[in-house]
Amino acid sequence: MMRESIDVYTVLFYFFVSITLVSACVVVFSRHIVRSAFALLFTFFGVAALYVYLFADFLAITQLLVYVGGILVLILFGVMLTNKQINVDIKTGTLHIVPAIILAAAIGGTLVGIAWSNPWMVLPTSSSVKTTAPQIGELLLTTYLLPFEVASMVLMVALVGAVVIARREKNKKETTRDS
Amino acid sequence: MIETVQQFILALLANELVVAVILSVLPLVFVIIYTLVVLYTEMKVAAHIQDRVAYMMTGWHGILQPIADMIKLLLKEDIIPEKADRILFRVAPYVTFAGSYAAFAVLPFTSIYIGANIHLGAFFLIASGSIVVVGILMAGWSSNNKWSLLGGLRSAAQMVSYEIPTALALVIVAMITGSLNLQEITKFQDGGIHNWLIFGGPFPLKTKLLLLPFTLITFIILFVASIAEVNRTPFDLPEAESELVQGFFTEYSGLRFAMFYLSEYANLFVVSALSVSLFLGGWSSPFGSVLSGPVWGIFWFVSKAYVLVLLQIWVRWTLPRLRVDQLMYVSWKVLTPWLFVCLLAVGAILVSVE
């Protein structure tokens, strides 16, 4: 029975890996920018599932909440509103092939190198890791308090800045209408 | 030691895969039956609020009408607009429903049944809502229709901004109970109506009275935010019939339309069930140990959620629709600041009591 259950998890693992890889390929190779953006949904989902396999439950759910609920929605808003408004379908093309290949090869080489040289730790599937949220919370409020607070300040400033920029434009419109 | 439904089925069939399949299909059966019941309730309640009687022909007081409607939807032709993005148009209903259905994994229907007993259940429930947002955007965009696109965008903006009050209410509950697992939160409130978090939780009288106003406000805000999360009147701008012709699912028909409908009613149950598990004691009986137990647990959980659904239906047919700016005003300038007040107050009370 134990053997069978491990098989199920392995099959599911490869399922999630293939979802991630296939959708990531669609994101990169699709000529249709909106489809690329929607394919990101499956990439993020697959990555979140892979985090679960690493016992990183908090990270997995945060991945869904922040990347799908925040960043992807933002990208979609941008793409969808611009794509239709100017009445020209934006297609992704290939530009600067040589520099792109060099950059991609450099990044890919670095990643593979790190993956190769890193001493990976293998946890047994019956590991006693239950949840990571309390530890993350404790570390954020003790050891990493300063970076945490700095990050929150940066976010706060960005929020206020966004409001200021949005408001200024509105005021300009109103003054022109008045004059 | 067999303590949960999972372990029981595992002992019976001795195959984890089969157990996983059974457990993931069980809520689906529930969703379908429940949707039929709520469809009927909604039509009848709406009619009686407006001094009508609604359908009376099919069965006793039209009780078979939801089934007839369902068969009609399944038999309808599946139309895809010529200029639509065919792939996205086909995928969108399933993405939306998958998002709504994912939340059922962490709902504790009774003390021995919860799909996935993970520690961050409530957090997961909120995160799964973001998949619904993407599904709705997908539907709105791929229909290639101005009104659908507008409806999709409105819906996304609304769901994203009302996620904040919901999440803050969750933080307050997590502070009091010390857990994000809905099963644990429910167990925390077990033992009678006076232990429910809406009435201050199971604390000594003095602490309870101090907490009571803040938990009550938090519950009301969570309820308002949950109506907005499921896009219902007074927050139904994404589907406003008079402006947008049903919004993001204007172009859908047949089975795909039914998927959206099912997803909407599943969402309705999920947000009600979330409020129930957080503030109304989940599956625990209001009379302490009387009428409690695993089977009664299901009864209490479903009927409490049903009462909240009824309340949402009542609100829907009573209040007019908000404007877009009023919608944002309510979320950012009313609900969120009040929740910050509650958050600070509850934190201060909890610290001072310790």
Side-chain angles (χ1 to χ4, degrees):
Chain A
M1 196 189 87
M2 202 57 215
R3 201 195 168 89
E4 207 171 26
S5 67
I6 289 167
D7 280 345
V8 172
Y9 292 126
T10 316
V11 169
L12 276 178
F13 174 76
Y14 285 109
F15 172 69
F16 287 126
V17 167
S18 56
I19 284 186
T20 315
L21 288 180
V22 169
S23 61
C25 287
V26 174
V27 173
V28 178
F29 294 115
S30 172
R31 296 203 140 270
H32 201 295
I33 196 162
V34 179
R35 275 190 200 165
S36 298
F38 278 118
L40 263 180
L41 167 69
F42 298 98
T43 316
F44 289 148
F45 173 76
V47 171
L50 295 182
Y51 282 143
V52 173
Y53 273 89
L54 293 171
F55 297 110
D57 55 347
F58 183 77
L59 196 59
I61 299 172
T62 312
Q63 162 90 7
L64 271 189
L65 191 70
V66 173
Y67 278 89
V68 176
I71 292 175
L72 182 59
V73 170
L74 193 71
I75 293 175
L76 285 174
F77 263 65
V79 169
M80 280 170 18
L81 287 175
T82 48
N83 198 11
K84 287 274 162 158
Q85 238 166 24
I86 49 177
N87 225 4
V88 183
D89 275 354
I90 301 174
K91 304 263 169 164
T92 43
T94 321
L95 285 171
H96 307 297
I97 295 178
V98 179
I101 287 176
I102 295 172
L103 256 178
I107 293 172
T110 319
L111 285 177
V112 170
I114 291 172
W116 205 259
S117 62
N118 195 42
W120 294 103
M121 188 172 58
V122 180
L123 281 175
T125 42
S126 57
S127 165
S128 58
V129 182
K130 282 207 173 101
T131 176
T132 54
Q135 289 94 308
I136 290 176
E138 233 170 84
L139 283 176
L140 276 183
L141 289 179
T142 52
T143 318
Y144 301 105
L145 184 63
L146 186 68
F148 177 66
E149 288 296 328
V150 169
S152 65
M153 276 306 289
V154 169
L155 281 176
M156 185 76 194
V157 170
L159 261 178
V160 174
V163 171
V164 167
I165 291 169
R167 283 295 268 255
R168 194 185 291 150
E169 213 168 2
K170 198 180 167 194
N171 284 343
K172 226 181 253 170
K173 260 184 210 159
E174 274 171 9
T175 47
T176 49
R177 206 185 296 149
D178 290 341
S179 60
Chain B
M1 191 61 184
I2 292 170
E3 273 178 349
T4 61
V5 175
Q6 274 95 324
Q7 286 161 353
F8 174 71
I9 304 176
L10 188 62
L12 206 65
L13 300 166
N15 186 334
E16 282 198 7
L17 184 66
V18 178
V19 175
V21 170
I22 291 178
L23 284 179
S24 43
V25 169
L26 270 181
L28 186 63
V29 176
F30 168 76
V31 169
I32 291 171
I33 296 171
Y34 152 88
T35 302
L36 293 178
V37 173
V38 172
L39 268 175
Y40 181 75
T41 322
E42 175 137 45
M43 283 306 141
K44 278 295 179 188
V45 172
H48 284 285
I49 285 176
Q50 298 171 335
D51 247 348
R52 297 182 283 121
V53 290
Y55 27 61
M56 297 291 278
M57 303 295 212
T58 35
W60 180 82
H61 278 251
I63 202 149
L64 295 176
Q65 187 66 39
I67 297 168
D69 277 348
M70 190 176 73
I71 295 171
K72 182 193 78 175
L73 267 180
L74 294 183
L75 294 177
K76 267 192 171 177
E77 188 188 353
D78 181 26
I79 301 167
I80 299 177
E82 206 187 328
K83 290 271 177 71
D85 190 318
R86 297 183 80 87
I87 299 175
L88 293 180
F89 189 84
R90 282 170 192 219
V91 173
Y94 303 108
V95 171
T96 313
F97 184 71
S100 320
Y101 192 57
F104 280 82
V106 294
L107 289 182
F109 277 88
T110 175
S111 52
I112 56 163
Y113 179 78
I114 179 167
N117 200 2
I118 55 175
H119 284 256
L120 301 168
F123 189 40
F124 175 81
L125 197 147
I126 290 187
S128 67
S130 50
I131 299 178
V132 180
V133 175
V134 178
I136 286 174
L137 277 174
M138 209 184 256
W141 188 83
S142 65
S143 300
N144 200 9
N145 171 333
K146 283 174 210 153
W147 293 284
S148 298
L149 182 62
L150 265 179
L153 291 178
R154 276 187 185 183
S155 174
Q158 179 175 329
M159 286 173 90
V160 168
S161 35
Y162 277 83
E163 242 167 38
I164 290 160
T166 317
L168 274 175
L170 196 62
V171 169
I172 292 174
V173 173
M175 268 164 53
I176 298 175
T177 60
S179 173
L180 276 171
N181 182 332
L182 290 175
Q183 189 75 279
E184 302 275 309
I185 294 172
T186 307
K187 276 180 188 152
F188 186 80
Q189 309 171 59
D190 201 6
I193 192 165
H194 54 281
N195 280 349
W196 294 357
L197 270 189
I198 185 175
F199 301 122
F203 291 106
L205 190 66
K206 212 175 127 197
T207 322
K208 208 176 161 71
L209 285 179
L210 278 173
L211 279 175
L212 176 72
F214 301 108
T215 49
L216 194 63
I217 291 174
T218 312
F219 170 73
I220 293 168
I221 291 177
L222 180 67
F223 181 70
V224 173
S226 69
I227 299 178
E229 282 265 310
V230 289
N231 300 332
R232 289 168 71 86
T233 325
F235 305 105
D236 70 335
L237 301 122
E239 304 163 13
E241 297 99 339
S242 46
E243 305 165 26
L244 295 175
V245 219
Q246 282 296 315
F248 55 87
F249 50 81
T250 307
E251 304 287 356
Y252 281 89
S253 61
L255 191 60
R256 284 175 228 280
F257 179 79
M259 288 299 273
F260 277 117
Y261 233 72
L262 207 58
S263 152
E264 198 158 298
Y265 281 93
N267 259 339
L268 189 61
F269 180 79
V270 167
V271 292
S272 305
L274 179 68
S275 305
V276 165
S277 335
L278 293 185
F279 285 99
L280 301 179
W283 41 257
S284 66
S285 157
F287 314 113
S289 56
V290 183
L291 298 183
S292 68
V295 180
W296 278 105
I298 297 179
F299 168 76
W300 288 120
F301 186 75
V302 173
S303 47
K304 280 174 193 172
Y306 188 70
V307 168
L308 282 190
V309 170
L310 265 183
L311 211 61
Q312 297 203 8
I313 293 173
W314 180 17
V315 168
R316 176 176 180 182
W317 297 101
T318 309
L319 295 178
R321 184 181 305 138
L322 291 176
R323 275 200 325 258
V324 176
D325 59 322
Q326 291 167 333
L327 180 89
M328 292 298 160
Y329 176 85
V330 170
S331 167
W332 292 101
K333 292 191 176 172
V334 182
L335 302 185
T336 313
W338 272 105
L339 276 177
F340 278 131
V341 171
C342 291
L343 189 72
L344 286 175
V346 169
I349 293 168
L350 288 175
V351 168
S352 65
V353 165
E354 272 175 20

